[in-house]
Amino acid sequence: MQAIMQIFLARNNVQAGPYNLEQLNIMLASGEVLLDDLIWHEGLDQWQRVGNVTNNQTVYRPTGATAPDANDSIINNVTVFPEDTSNTKDNNLISLDRLYGKPERSKNVKADMTTNRHQTPHNNVSLSKSTLKKAVADNDKVIGDVVLAPIMSRILATALNGLLYVLAILPLVMALTKMDVDYTKFQNIQDMDAAYQYSMSLMESIPSSTLMMSQVMVFGLFALQLVFITMRGQSLGKVITGIRVVDQTTHRLPSFIKLVGTRTLLLFIIYNLLFSFTSFLGFVIIAIHYYMASKSPENIGWHDKLAKTLVVKADSSQLVKKSKSE
């Protein structure tokens, strides 16, 4: 006889189970189990968000699931603590408060699968398959063992990187403001050679000390950014906002080609060309990226699709290479 599926649930690092499929669907329908809770059973590589495996429905229909025994009750498969079985009458009752780290109710209060849905867990029990090291807020999106970075954190990180670049070229900008620059020379896209020649003539008019200072600051910034991106998967903006780029599959640091080649240097070239033609076009492409990310269940924009990466809340475990056995 095929074994009945044993399903484990978790919320805020607190695990409960095992349950069978019928029990899970009853708890989903009653609201005891939420779509943002985590789920794991044999066949899943890692913990998943419940809504991801149910297609955001309040019923789970896994392929090839075995129907449970009709005699199973909603609590038969839950681990029972010794103090929860103090009298024979209540032997099959389980304190869901205990499993989800909530304050214990009085022993004369009957355990009910639907009374705990609005309380906040307090215990911090590590999960059997993977552990979410960061606190998970109610509105956070969880994918396996990582918490996706909020869109606003990503936008702030981009803005901070832009601000750092502006600060690096500030000596050059201040020198240009003192000159009578004809910006119409840069608006004719069809005559880029003339624009280049004009820009070179402007550079020759700027004091060499100012140019050197600006170059040192820009190259220093780029070198620092590359070090952080290569070693930690974080630009300086991401370091400040506490987020990181990870591989979509492993949830660890991406390969050097993905991280530096595709996501850093290629994007730098693309945006440099866009902003060279018109700053408006560059901002439009950035806006499209974050709009796509906001509409994606995994916050994936076109940058992320291109490099096959995720942007998540930074955690030290993401810097550890996975062993071959994992």
Side-chain angles (χ1 to χ4, degrees):
M1 179 183 295
Q2 186 176 358
I4 295 175
M5 178 184 293
Q6 291 193 324
I7 300 171
F8 293 86
L9 301 170
R11 184 185 301 162
N12 288 9
N13 281 352
V14 182
Q15 179 183 311
Y19 304 101
N20 63 38
L21 184 58
E22 181 186 36
Q23 293 169 344
L24 172 64
N25 284 329
I26 290 174
M27 290 187 287
L28 277 169
S30 69
E32 176 67 25
V33 173
L34 307 176
L35 295 180
D36 285 330
D37 288 344
L38 301 181
I39 183 172
W40 182 87
H41 59 73
E42 290 295 337
L44 294 180
D45 293 335
Q46 57 191 0
W47 288 87
Q48 301 281 341
R49 177 177 172 272
V50 172
N52 289 354
V53 300
T54 67
N55 292 321
N56 290 319
Q57 303 297 313
T58 54
V59 60
Y60 184 32
R61 298 188 182 92
T63 304
T66 303
D69 188 340
N71 292 325
D72 280 348
S73 73
I74 193 66
I75 54 177
N76 278 348
N77 289 332
V78 183
T79 302
V80 180
F81 291 99
E83 56 265 48
D84 294 320
T85 58
S86 55
N87 70 59
T88 306
K89 182 178 178 181
D90 292 333
N91 271 353
N92 285 332
L93 296 181
I94 177 62
S95 170
L96 292 179
D97 293 330
R98 169 66 63 84
L99 285 176
Y100 277 95
K102 302 164 187 169
E104 285 292 310
R105 294 171 294 173
S106 171
K107 291 185 184 293
N108 61 1
V109 178
K110 195 172 183 179
D112 177 39
M113 299 301 289
T114 62
T115 56
N116 301 306
R117 68 188 74 165
H118 299 303
Q119 298 184 44
T120 303
H122 298 291
N123 266 359
N124 189 21
V125 181
S126 60
L127 305 179
S128 61
K129 295 299 172 182
S130 86
T131 305
L132 293 178
K133 303 271 179 88
K134 287 285 183 182
V136 182
D138 291 339
N139 58 347
D140 279 338
K141 294 181 182 179
V142 178
I143 302 296
D145 57 352
V146 296
V147 181
L148 295 181
I151 299 298
M152 289 308 300
S153 294
R154 297 176 60 176
I155 293 174
L156 179 59
T158 300
L160 288 171
N161 285 328
L163 178 61
L164 289 172
Y165 178 74
V166 170
L167 292 175
I169 63 171
L170 190 59
L172 184 61
V173 172
M174 295 187 66
L176 288 173
T177 57
K178 298 176 181 179
M179 302 171 61
D180 185 16
V181 180
D182 184 3
Y183 292 100
T184 60
K185 297 283 189 181
F186 301 101
Q187 295 175 358
N188 187 359
I189 298 176
Q190 296 179 346
D191 194 1
M192 294 301 296
D193 185 60
Y196 175 76
Q197 294 298 331
Y198 182 66
S199 64
M200 288 297 98
S201 66
L202 288 176
M203 293 299 104
E204 292 173 359
S205 303
I206 297 175
S208 58
S209 59
T210 302
L211 281 176
M212 183 173 292
M213 182 186 300
S214 184
Q215 288 172 349
V216 169
M217 291 176 67
V218 169
F219 284 118
L221 174 62
F222 284 165
L224 194 58
Q225 292 277 36
L226 282 175
V227 168
F228 274 89
I229 290 170
T230 303
M231 302 300 295
R232 303 185 60 84
Q234 296 172 290
S235 63
L236 294 177
K238 287 183 172 63
V239 171
I240 296 171
T241 55
I243 61 180
R244 171 179 288 123
V245 175
V246 297
D247 188 276
Q248 284 184 11
T249 303
T250 65
H251 293 174
R252 306 295 171 93
L253 281 187
S255 66
F256 182 84
I257 293 176
K258 282 185 180 181
L259 195 58
V260 176
T262 305
R263 194 175 172 101
T264 303
L265 298 181
L266 180 60
L267 289 181
F268 175 77
I269 293 171
I270 291 173
Y271 280 113
N272 191 51
L273 290 173
L274 290 172
F275 280 102
S276 295
F277 290 128
T278 168
S279 59
F280 175 78
L281 183 59
F283 286 117
V284 167
I285 301 302
I286 292 175
I288 290 173
H289 167 67
Y290 287 120
Y291 177 78
M292 289 177 60
S294 68
K295 296 300 181 182
S296 165
E298 296 182 340
N299 290 2
I300 292 177
W302 72 267
H303 294 181
D304 312 299
K305 285 183 179 292
L306 188 66
K308 293 182 173 58
T309 55
L310 295 173
V311 182
V312 302
K313 288 188 175 181
D315 189 284
S316 58
S317 64
Q318 297 151 3
L319 300 175
V320 181
K321 290 185 178 179
K322 274 195 171 184
S323 65
K324 293 182 179 179
S325 61
E326 284 189 76

